[in-house]
Amino acid sequence: KARKPSTSISDFQKVLKSSKNIIALAGAGLSAASGIPTFRGTGGLWRKFDVISMATEDAFYENPSRLWQFYHYRREKANACKPNLAHYALAEFSLPYFRSQLGLAKDSKFTLITQNVDGLSKRALEETCTPEVIQSISEDPAHPPMIEMHGRVNDVKCSSPKCGHIEFNPASPICPALDGTEAFVDEDIEKTIAEDDLPRCSKCKALARPGVVWFGEVPYDLEKIDDLVEEADLCIVVGTSSTVYPAAGYAAEVQAHGGKVAVFNLERSAGDKKANFLFLGPCEETLPSCLG
Ligand code: BJW
Ligand code: ZN
């Protein structure tokens, strides 16, 4: 019979210190304290639209003007927000010398697998160490410091399957027609932008789309993630409702081969009854105290 998850920080730290292959799986709750709205529950609306219903290819082709206004708003927000203490705790933990100071094995591995598209985890890492250190911890392709499995709001992808060109483009605004539309948040104002005036592919000039993963699309780096999940002896689940697959299945996979799971969430979330550890509360407080 399943036991209740432990809430003991010292027992968690014992497991942490004896773990060699650690993954963290993050969701929108990681960035909540930075001011980025989550998807489900309060904050799940943009203008009058349910944000989940906007995360599909159909919604994009039905109304690319509206979808681009939504993503322009999300880009402006992400780029104006700052990483919080939970991002920094994970960034420090991705440094081998930090882990060895905590008492983990010298050859311990850690990868943050984030579902977030806001780029805040990457910014936290860049603020935590030098480019040389990032390069050295990124050398082993099987154990990168982080994987952004649902893409990035600052990436732009060609919508033509023949081209598919992706590039990083954090320009604000990304095109003149979107300028200022981020201010229309609550009201029912809608600007209709012609397709020609929306972002276009820099290679083939076809309509471009945000470089994020919508429902029905295949997330990035799945093979690498599967290998990491398979070898993980500890999975730290942070700020995700655990309702979107394949990410929602990783914790159970880690437990199925004998690994441990620790859930950090403001509230109860799917599957957390089976976790070995459960730390309820804001992750910007609980993560630094458990990983520090
Ligand atoms: C705090 C906090 C604080 C707040 N501290 N906590 C039936 C069964 C199984 C699967 C499917 C099915 N039907 C369809 C599917 C597949 C589908 C799916 O899972 N659907 C479900 C809804 C059932 N999945 C897909 O389509 C995926 N692709 C796929 O499956 O490809 C096929 C394939 C896979 C594998 C192998 C082979 C083939 C793609 C999913 C793409 C999801 N895209 C989005 C949008 C990204 C772009 C954008 O941002 O606009 O990704 S949807 C949205 O949900 C976003 C998120 O990354 C994702 C997860 O949400 P998340 O992060 O968990 O956020 P919330 O809001 O749900 O939760 C926040 C949590 O934080 C809450 O728990 C709070 O309590 C907590 N919190 N503040 C700690 N301070
Ligand atoms: Zn193109």
Side-chain angles (χ1 to χ4, degrees):
K1 231 188 140 193
R3 292 177 51 188
K4 257 188 140 180
S6 164
T7 58
S8 160
I9 297 181
S10 61
D11 287 352
F12 169 74
Q13 287 177 334
K14 277 182 207 143
V15 168
L16 184 68
K17 283 174 194 168
S18 65
S19 298
K20 278 194 116 169
N21 295 296
I22 305 166
I23 56 173
L25 178 71
L30 174 62
S31 296
S34 296
I36 301 197
T38 59
F39 291 91
R40 294 163 188 84
T42 53
L45 282 183
W46 170 78
R47 297 186 185 170
K48 61 189 169 183
F49 307 106
D50 168 15
V51 300
I52 294 299
S53 70
M54 303 188 70
T56 66
E57 217 180 356
D58 286 352
F60 178 71
Y61 286 112
E62 204 151 292
N63 197 334
S65 161
R66 176 182 299 156
L67 261 272
W68 262 117
Q69 288 175 62
F70 173 53
Y71 281 95
H72 166 69
Y73 163 77
R74 304 263 309 280
R75 289 163 57 93
E76 296 297 314
K77 187 113 198 157
N79 296 337
C81 287
K82 293 190 170 67
N84 66 60
L85 292 176
H87 295 109
Y88 291 119
L90 291 166
E92 278 194 310
F93 197 73
S94 56
L95 306 177
Y97 90 88
F98 182 86
R99 292 200 300 277
S100 81
Q101 271 184 347
L102 273 184
L104 280 86
K106 274 216 150 50
D107 58 346
S108 66
K109 307 273 192 263
F110 174 69
T111 296
L112 166 63
I113 302 166
T114 184
Q115 301 170 81
N116 298 344
V117 297
D118 54 39
L120 290 176
S121 289
K122 192 149 174 267
R123 279 168 52 196
L125 187 61
E126 286 163 355
E127 290 172 28
T128 299
C129 61
T130 63
E132 292 73 31
V133 171
I134 296 183
Q135 203 188 338
S136 80
I137 63 178
S138 307
E139 264 162 14
D140 172 5
H143 299 94
M146 79 180 66
I147 294 176
E148 294 167 298
M149 67 179 294
H150 289 165
R152 287 186 280 253
V153 85
N154 284 320
D155 277 355
V156 181
K157 185 177 153 186
C158 181
S159 69
S160 157
K162 279 184 296 198
C163 172
H165 176 65
I166 302 185
E167 67 185 24
F168 177 68
N169 179 351
S172 166
I174 184 170
C175 66
L178 286 164
D179 198 11
T181 62
E182 72 280 4
F184 312 151
V185 267
D186 300 317
E187 297 122 292
D188 198 3
I189 311 173
E190 188 145 292
K191 178 175 178 185
T192 304
I193 303 170
E195 280 197 24
D196 283 347
D197 297 329
L198 289 172
R200 313 295 298 188
C201 173
S202 65
K203 285 254 157 81
C204 77
K205 304 289 171 231
L207 178 64
R209 52 164 280 181
V212 299
V213 179
W214 287 324
F215 285 110
E217 297 183 323
V218 180
Y220 290 99
D221 293 324
L222 280 186
E223 282 164 33
K224 206 173 273 188
I225 294 173
D226 284 342
D227 291 344
L228 289 166
V229 168
E230 214 166 287
E231 71 177 13
D233 42 22
L234 174 62
C235 176
I236 298 170
V237 181
V238 185
T240 173
S241 59
S242 292
T243 53
V244 175
Y245 288 85
Y250 296 152
E253 278 179 59
V254 169
Q255 280 185 323
H257 65 247
K260 300 272 197 287
V261 169
V263 171
F264 293 78
N265 199 302
L266 198 54
E267 295 167 12
R268 299 304 301 259
S269 54
D272 69 359
K273 311 191 270 305
K274 299 195 192 110
N276 303 88
F277 297 94
L278 179 57
F279 299 104
L280 291 175
C283 63
E284 61 278 15
E285 292 172 15
T286 54
L287 260 194
S289 54
C290 286
L291 294 182

